[in-house]
């Protein structure tokens, strides 16, 4: 059985620490990407809400015009 020395343990711990640093870096990158995706989704939701609001305003105006001109589908 090989002799386990403090130097060997130290080298192994350095490798583990290096691997952990890479994992943390990758996790930080994924977190930033996820935040950008969430921002894009929120932007799309806002665009959709603005479009729906404009459509609702047009519907109200159209109903008002139809009632003023006495246009009925009956």
């Amino acid at each position: 059985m090989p002799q386990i020395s403090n130097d060997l343990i130290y080298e192994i711990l350095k490798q583990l620490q290096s691997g952990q640093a890479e994992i943390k870096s990758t996790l930080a990158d994924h977190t930033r990407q996820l935040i950008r995706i969430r921002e894009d989704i929120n932007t799309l939701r806002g665009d959709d809400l603005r479009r729906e609001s404009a459509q609702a305003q047009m519907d109200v105006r159209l109903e008002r015009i139809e009632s003023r001109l006495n246009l009925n589908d009956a």
Side-chain angles (χ1 to χ4, degrees):
M1 178 184 253
Q3 185 69 15
I4 299 176
S5 67
N6 286 340
D7 290 336
L8 178 60
I9 293 173
Y10 179 70
E11 290 301 318
I12 291 172
L13 288 175
K14 282 193 332 187
Q15 290 175 0
L16 288 173
Q17 188 176 31
S18 173
Q20 187 179 18
E22 288 179 33
I23 291 171
K24 284 182 178 182
S25 174
T26 302
L27 182 60
D29 289 342
H30 288 161
T31 301
R32 284 190 292 275
Q33 290 174 354
L34 183 59
I35 289 170
R36 283 195 296 269
I37 290 169
R38 287 178 177 170
E39 288 171 347
D40 289 345
I41 289 171
N42 286 335
T43 299
L44 291 172
R45 284 181 180 166
D47 292 345
D48 198 31
L49 288 174
R50 282 187 290 280
R51 183 189 47 77
E52 288 177 7
S53 174
Q55 179 67 42
Q57 290 174 356
M58 285 188 254
D59 289 345
V60 169
R61 292 181 73 189
L62 180 60
E63 286 176 16
R64 233 184 295 145
I65 291 169
E66 287 175 342
S67 68
R68 283 184 184 170
L69 297 176
N70 292 324
L71 300 175
N72 296 328
D73 289 337

